[in-house]
Amino acid sequence: MSRRHARALAPAVVALLAVGLSASGCADPAGGSGPSSSGVSDAPATGEQVAEAAELWGAAPQYVLTTAADGFEAVPSAAGVFGADGFSVQFGGRAGHTFMFSAVEGAMTADDCATVAVMDVGGGEVGGPVTCVEEDGALRRTAGDAEEYAVVRDGVLVRVSGSSADHEALREAAGNVHVPTSGELAALVEGTPVDPGAVDPGAVERGDLPPGDGAPDNSVDAGG
């Protein structure tokens, strides 16, 4: 599978999207949703919020998922489109350990599990024979020191790929797949790199453009 860079939008657009996501957590606490004690919303992101974030990355909304594992946190700058329209994000943890979370259209069963290469933390294929074991509704897959869990959720193939040294974290992440909360989504959006070249030069305000049709003011005053 290949990975493309996230679609770049103007900084103002990213800022507005992030503010909207953060503000969505301000519901009445009596309603069961709202910001946590840390100020980050625990409420699930709305379909509209997910769609806007997906457009930012160039991914399809149904693949914008995430997970959680003790000792690991998502790295927003490493979130973006994966393959044609899937989504992936890397998680960083103790002593520089990392794993990659990816979601694409597809499926995997115990029958074909060993025929698909295990992925490394960068999304590349790991060589060598693949060993597969069914475990708690997921497929635990290993190739050498590489290990990943594959889970199919509503037609979406989720893979949590890393090292066998982080086995417990990978297993935990495979069991915690979910649609991001508005707080999680806001953090990913805020950390998305933006290409300065994405700003439309035509949007820069010029002092010599009068109201109306926007044509330059070339008139000569009485002294000219």
Side-chain angles (χ1 to χ4, degrees), residues 14-65:
V14 177
L16 288 172
L17 179 54
V19 169
L21 286 164
S22 299
S24 68
C26 299
D28 184 354
S33 64
S36 66
S37 58
S38 64
V40 177
S41 175
D42 294 326
T46 65
E48 181 179 2
Q49 291 167 346
V50 171
E52 289 176 340
E55 183 178 4
L56 166 67
W57 292 309
Q62 65 268 32
Y63 306 133
V64 178
L65 301 170

Coordinates of all heavy atoms in Angstrom, one line a residue, residues 14-65:
V14 N -8.1 25.3 8.7 CA -7.7 24.3 9.7 C -8.1 24.9 11.1 O -8.6 24.2 11.9 CB -6.2 24.0 9.6 CG1 -5.8 23.1 10.8 CG2 -5.9 23.4 8.3
A15 N -7.8 26.2 11.3 CA -8.1 26.8 12.6 C -9.6 26.8 12.9 O -10.0 26.5 14.0 CB -7.5 28.2 12.6
L16 N -10.4 27.1 11.9 CA -11.8 27.2 12.1 C -12.4 25.8 12.4 O -13.2 25.6 13.2 CB -12.5 27.7 10.8 CG -12.3 29.2 10.6 CD1 -12.9 29.6 9.2 CD2 -13.1 30.0 11.7
L17 N -11.9 24.8 11.7 CA -12.3 23.4 11.9 C -12.0 22.9 13.3 O -12.8 22.4 14.0 CB -11.7 22.5 10.9 CG -12.0 21.0 11.0 CD1 -13.5 20.8 11.0 CD2 -11.4 20.2 9.8
A18 N -10.7 23.3 13.7 CA -10.3 22.8 15.1 C -11.1 23.5 16.1 O -11.5 22.9 17.1 CB -8.8 23.2 15.3
V19 N -11.4 24.8 15.9 CA -12.2 25.6 16.9 C -13.6 25.0 17.0 O -14.2 24.8 18.1 CB -12.3 27.1 16.6 CG1 -13.3 27.8 17.4 CG2 -10.9 27.7 16.8
G20 N -14.2 24.6 15.8 CA -15.5 24.1 15.8 C -15.6 22.7 16.6 O -16.5 22.4 17.3
L21 N -14.6 21.9 16.4 CA -14.5 20.6 17.1 C -14.4 20.8 18.6 O -15.1 20.1 19.3 CB -13.3 19.8 16.5 CG -13.5 19.2 15.1 CD1 -12.2 18.8 14.6 CD2 -14.4 18.0 15.2
S22 N -13.5 21.8 19.0 CA -13.4 22.0 20.4 C -14.6 22.5 21.0 O -15.0 22.1 22.1 CB -12.2 23.0 20.6 OG -11.0 22.4 20.1
A23 N -15.3 23.4 20.3 CA -16.5 24.0 20.9 C -17.6 23.0 21.0 O -18.5 23.2 21.8 CB -16.9 25.2 20.0
S24 N -17.6 22.0 20.2 CA -18.7 21.0 20.2 C -18.8 20.3 21.6 O -19.8 19.6 21.9 CB -18.6 20.0 19.1 OG -17.4 19.2 19.3
G25 N -17.8 20.3 22.4 CA -17.8 19.7 23.6 C -18.4 20.5 24.7 O -18.3 20.1 25.9
C26 N -19.0 21.6 24.4 CA -19.5 22.5 25.5 C -21.0 22.3 25.7 O -21.7 23.2 26.1 CB -19.3 24.0 25.1 SG -17.5 24.3 24.9
A27 N -21.5 21.1 25.6 CA -22.9 20.8 25.8 C -23.1 20.8 27.3 O -22.2 20.7 28.2 CB -23.3 19.4 25.3
D28 N -24.4 20.9 27.7 CA -24.8 20.9 29.1 C -24.3 19.6 29.7 O -24.7 18.5 29.3 CB -26.3 21.0 29.2 CG -26.8 21.1 30.6 OD1 -26.0 20.9 31.5 OD2 -28.0 21.4 30.8
P29 N -23.6 19.6 30.8 CA -23.1 18.4 31.5 C -24.3 17.5 31.9 O -24.1 16.3 31.9 CB -22.3 18.9 32.7 CG -21.9 20.3 32.3 CD -23.0 20.8 31.5
A30 N -25.4 18.1 32.1 CA -26.6 17.2 32.5 C -27.0 16.3 31.4 O -27.7 15.3 31.6 CB -27.7 18.1 33.0
G31 N -26.6 16.7 30.2 CA -27.0 15.9 29.0 C -26.1 14.7 28.8 O -26.3 14.0 27.8
G32 N -25.1 14.6 29.6 CA -24.2 13.4 29.5 C -23.1 13.6 28.5 O -22.3 12.6 28.3
S33 N -22.9 14.8 28.0 CA -21.7 15.0 27.1 C -21.1 16.4 27.5 O -21.7 17.2 28.1 CB -22.1 15.0 25.7 OG -23.0 16.1 25.4
G34 N -19.9 16.6 27.0 CA -19.2 17.8 27.3 C -17.8 17.6 27.6 O -17.3 16.5 27.5
P35 N -17.1 18.7 27.9 CA -15.6 18.5 28.1 C -15.3 17.8 29.4 O -16.0 17.8 30.4 CB -15.2 20.0 28.2 CG -16.3 20.8 28.7 CD -17.5 20.0 28.1
S36 N -14.2 17.0 29.3 CA -13.7 16.3 30.5 C -13.0 17.3 31.4 O -12.9 18.5 31.1 CB -12.8 15.2 30.1 OG -11.6 15.7 29.5
S37 N -12.5 16.8 32.5 CA -11.8 17.6 33.5 C -10.6 18.3 32.9 O -10.1 19.3 33.3 CB -11.5 16.8 34.7 OG -10.6 15.8 34.4
S38 N -10.1 17.7 31.8 CA -8.9 18.2 31.2 C -9.2 19.2 30.1 O -8.4 19.8 29.5 CB -8.1 17.1 30.5 OG -8.8 16.4 29.5
G39 N -10.6 19.4 29.9 CA -11.0 20.4 28.9 C -11.2 19.8 27.5 O -11.5 20.4 26.5
V40 N -10.9 18.5 27.3 CA -11.0 17.8 26.1 C -12.4 17.0 26.1 O -12.7 16.3 27.0 CB -9.9 16.8 25.8 CG1 -10.1 16.0 24.6 CG2 -8.6 17.5 25.8
S41 N -13.1 17.2 25.0 CA -14.5 16.6 24.9 C -14.4 15.1 24.8 O -13.6 14.6 24.0 CB -15.3 17.2 23.8 OG -16.5 16.5 23.6
D42 N -15.2 14.4 25.6 CA -15.3 12.9 25.4 C -16.5 12.5 24.6 O -16.7 11.3 24.4 CB -15.5 12.3 26.8 CG -14.3 12.5 27.7 OD1 -13.2 12.5 27.2 OD2 -14.4 12.6 28.9
A43 N -17.2 13.5 24.1 CA -18.4 13.2 23.2 C -17.9 12.7 21.8 O -16.9 13.3 21.3 CB -19.3 14.4 23.1
P44 N -18.6 11.7 21.2 CA -18.2 11.3 19.9 C -18.3 12.5 18.9 O -19.2 13.3 19.0 CB -19.2 10.2 19.6 CG -19.7 9.7 20.9 CD -19.7 11.0 21.8
A45 N -17.4 12.5 18.0 CA -17.5 13.5 16.9 C -18.7 13.3 16.1 O -19.1 12.1 15.8 CB -16.2 13.5 16.1
T46 N -19.3 14.3 15.6 CA -20.5 14.2 14.7 C -20.0 13.8 13.3 O -18.9 13.9 12.9 CB -21.2 15.5 14.6 OG1 -20.4 16.5 13.9 CG2 -21.6 16.1 16.0
G47 N -21.0 13.3 12.6 CA -20.7 12.9 11.2 C -20.2 14.0 10.4 O -19.3 13.9 9.5
E48 N -20.7 15.3 10.6 CA -20.2 16.4 9.9 C -18.8 16.8 10.2 O -18.0 17.1 9.4 CB -21.1 17.6 10.2 CG -20.8 18.9 9.5 CD -21.7 20.1 9.8 OE1 -22.6 19.9 10.6 OE2 -21.4 21.1 9.2
Q49 N -18.5 16.7 11.5 CA -17.1 16.9 11.9 C -16.1 15.9 11.3 O -15.0 16.3 10.9 CB -17.0 16.9 13.5 CG -17.7 18.1 14.1 CD -17.9 17.9 15.6 OE1 -17.7 16.8 16.1 NE2 -18.2 18.9 16.3
V50 N -16.5 14.7 11.3 CA -15.6 13.6 10.8 C -15.5 13.9 9.3 O -14.4 13.7 8.7 CB -16.2 12.2 11.0 CG1 -15.4 11.2 10.2 CG2 -16.2 11.9 12.5
A51 N -16.5 14.2 8.6 CA -16.5 14.5 7.1 C -15.5 15.6 6.8 O -14.8 15.6 5.9 CB -17.9 14.7 6.6
E52 N -15.6 16.7 7.6 CA -14.7 17.9 7.4 C -13.3 17.5 7.6 O -12.4 17.9 6.8 CB -15.2 19.0 8.3 CG -16.5 19.7 8.0 CD -16.9 20.7 9.0 OE1 -16.4 20.7 10.1 OE2 -17.8 21.5 8.6
A53 N -13.0 16.7 8.7 CA -11.6 16.3 8.9 C -11.1 15.4 7.8 O -10.0 15.5 7.4 CB -11.5 15.6 10.3
A54 N -12.0 14.5 7.4 CA -11.6 13.6 6.3 C -11.3 14.3 5.0 O -10.3 14.0 4.3 CB -12.8 12.6 6.0
E55 N -12.0 15.4 4.7 CA -11.7 16.2 3.5 C -10.4 16.9 3.7 O -9.6 17.0 2.7 CB -12.8 17.3 3.3 CG -12.6 18.1 2.1 CD -13.7 19.1 1.9 OE1 -14.6 19.2 2.7 OE2 -13.6 19.8 0.8
L56 N -10.0 17.3 4.9 CA -8.7 17.9 5.1 C -7.6 16.9 4.7 O -6.6 17.3 4.1 CB -8.6 18.3 6.6 CG -7.2 18.6 7.1 CD1 -6.7 19.9 6.5 CD2 -7.2 18.8 8.6
W57 N -7.8 15.7 5.1 CA -6.7 14.7 4.9 C -6.8 14.0 3.5 O -5.9 13.4 3.1 CB -6.8 13.6 6.0 CG -6.4 14.1 7.3 CD1 -5.3 14.8 7.7 CD2 -7.2 13.9 8.5 NE1 -5.3 15.0 9.0 CE2 -6.4 14.5 9.6 CE3 -8.4 13.2 8.8 CZ2 -6.9 14.5 10.9 CZ3 -8.8 13.3 10.2 CH2 -8.1 13.9 11.2
G58 N -8.0 14.2 2.8 CA -8.2 13.5 1.6 C -8.6 12.0 1.7 O -8.4 11.2 0.9
A59 N -9.2 11.7 2.9 CA -9.6 10.4 3.2 C -11.2 10.3 3.1 O -11.9 11.3 3.2 CB -9.2 9.9 4.6
A60 N -11.7 9.1 3.0 CA -13.1 8.8 3.1 C -13.5 8.8 4.6 O -12.8 8.3 5.4 CB -13.5 7.5 2.4
P61 N -14.7 9.5 4.9 CA -15.1 9.6 6.3 C -15.2 8.3 7.1 O -14.9 8.2 8.3 CB -16.4 10.3 6.2 CG -16.4 11.0 4.9 CD -15.6 10.1 4.0
Q62 N -15.6 7.2 6.4 CA -15.8 5.9 7.1 C -14.5 5.3 7.6 O -14.6 4.4 8.4 CB -16.6 4.9 6.2 CG -15.8 4.5 4.9 CD -16.2 5.3 3.7 OE1 -16.4 6.5 3.9 NE2 -16.2 4.7 2.6
Y63 N -13.4 5.8 7.1 CA -12.1 5.3 7.5 C -11.4 6.1 8.6 O -10.4 5.7 9.1 CB -11.2 5.1 6.3 CG -11.8 4.3 5.2 CD1 -11.7 4.8 3.9 CD2 -12.4 3.1 5.4 CE1 -12.3 4.1 2.8 CE2 -13.0 2.4 4.4 CZ -12.9 2.9 3.1 OH -13.5 2.2 2.1
V64 N -12.0 7.2 9.0 CA -11.5 8.1 10.0 C -11.9 7.5 11.4 O -12.9 7.8 12.0 CB -11.9 9.5 9.9 CG1 -11.4 10.4 11.0 CG2 -11.5 10.1 8.6
L65 N -11.0 6.6 11.8 CA -11.2 5.9 13.1 C -9.9 6.1 13.9 O -8.9 6.5 13.4 CB -11.4 4.4 12.9 CG -12.7 4.0 12.0 CD1 -12.6 2.5 11.7 CD2 -14.0 4.4 12.8

